[in-house]
Amino acid sequence: MDVFHVTDQNGNKIIDESVLKYIEQSLGNIHYGRTNLSNGLTALELTGTDRVGLLSEVFAVLADLQCDVVESKVWTHNGRIASLIYVKDSSSGSAIEDSQKINKIELRLRNVLKGDNDIRSAKISFSMAVMHTERRLHQLMFVDRDYERAPILKLTSDNASVTVQNWEGRGYSVVNVQCKDRTKLLFDIVCNLTDMEYVVFHATINTDGDRAYLEFYIRHKDGTPISSEPERQRVIQCLKAAVERRASEGVRLELCTEDRQGLLAEVVRTFRENGLNVTRAEISTIGNMAKNIFYVTDAIGNPADSKIIESVRQKIGLSNLEVKELPLINHQEAEREDQAVGMGGAVLLSIGSLVRRNLYHLGLIKSCS
């Protein structure tokens, strides 16, 4: 039994019946692994060493090869980049199935990703399968072992605190995470625990102001707890990485304009030419409109100069590219009474910031006595 106390992104009570209905339907279809992307698209998975302007080069190659980017998400962490890009053929408007074209795309993107010194770790793959984008990005970075690498750019000032201890009497490993609260935090942590092949049996999650406190009681799939110090350290590293991947700081820029071929390549090229580094991106196309979100810093990870931001907006279009503040997560004092309590085999989860479309992934959590 899992109980969730949720709010919208701004900390307000959810009263929209359509939203509540959507949550119910998502939880009801928890085992189907649905995504909002339809068939007819080709998925490109990219991982490699991050550098300023890399994203500009990637999208320029795709535009040159007549590939339209329909949707994409890009994460950077500890000097690494992972991206899942959904494309279609510009001419036919359908998935790219021509093997020669696929080989050409792979060859050119591999040359871009490997640069001068990343021949081994640059990876590209194609897929026609439907998958959850953010879940897959976590898996790509986990396989890339980003958690073992030292950060190159200073992207976040908030460091997560993670501790792991064994509860010998009950045979659990107890994981505690304390960090700044944000949307999709629980999703990120649970996905990584699952990808590391741990099972969550009990959990208590609470928020206080802008802080989140999460505690998980986990075991291996065979029912055993964490058994060695190297394994314990690995769990700590991986969970810190899970928190940090989506927590990169930077100015949030939102682009909303009529879509056209080569638009995305032009926008990110403008960023590069003005010394802006994209630390995270969310690309989407709705009808004939492009709706994109970019998080940008300067070349070394510091806050971008406001004058440069305004210059970029002038070039792209003031009405098209807007500076958006990150939403504040507000919590009502009354919610503090609903702190996490475990009774018998039931688990009460109090979550202040979980985006509704990700709730269904929490079927990964098991509750038992």
Side-chain angles (χ1 to χ4, degrees), residues 195-216:
D195 290 336
M196 288 187 286
E197 300 188 340
Y198 295 107
V199 178
V200 178
F201 287 86
H202 306 277
T204 58
I205 292 90
N206 191 33
T207 58
D208 184 6
D210 67 345
R211 304 296 297 175
Y213 305 89
L214 307 95
E215 185 173 66
F216 303 91

Side-chain angles (χ1 to χ4, degrees), residues 9-10 180 183 248-254 280 293-295 303-304 306 309-310 313 321-329:
Q9 200 168 5
N10 295 311
K180 186 176 181 179
T183 57
S248 56
E249 296 178 351
V251 177
R252 173 172 168 148
L253 301 177
E254 294 189 7
R280 188 153 57 94
I293 299 173
F294 304 95
Y295 294 83
S306 59
I309 295 293
E310 284 306 304
R313 291 187 63 218
L321 186 67
E322 296 185 356
V323 178
K324 295 288 185 179
E325 296 292 336
L326 292 174
L328 295 176
I329 301 173

Side-chain angles (χ1 to χ4, degrees), residues 54-82:
L54 175 60
L55 208 55
S56 172
E57 297 177 41
V58 168
F59 289 135
V61 166
L62 293 175
D64 186 54
L65 295 176
Q66 305 298 301
C67 301
D68 289 341
V69 178
V70 178
E71 183 167 322
S72 175
K73 289 194 176 179
V74 181
W75 289 358
T76 62
H77 180 244
N78 283 356
R80 308 299 295 171
I81 186 170

Side-chain angles (χ1 to χ4, degrees), residues 198-260:
Y198 295 107
V199 178
V200 178
F201 287 86
H202 306 277
T204 58
I205 292 90
N206 191 33
T207 58
D208 184 6
D210 67 345
R211 304 296 297 175
Y213 305 89
L214 307 95
E215 185 173 66
F216 303 91
Y217 293 76
I218 66 172
R219 292 174 180 157
H220 291 107
K221 288 184 176 180
D222 64 4
T224 60
I226 291 172
S227 59
S228 69
E229 179 60 20
E231 182 186 4
R232 189 181 76 87
Q233 290 299 327
R234 180 170 175 267
V235 170
I236 292 173
Q237 283 183 317
C238 289
L239 292 185
K240 284 185 176 181
V243 172
E244 293 170 356
R245 287 170 192 151
R246 207 199 294 263
S248 56
E249 296 178 351
V251 177
R252 173 172 168 148
L253 301 177
E254 294 189 7
L255 175 72
C256 184
T257 187
E258 187 173 349
D259 193 27
R260 56 180 170 79

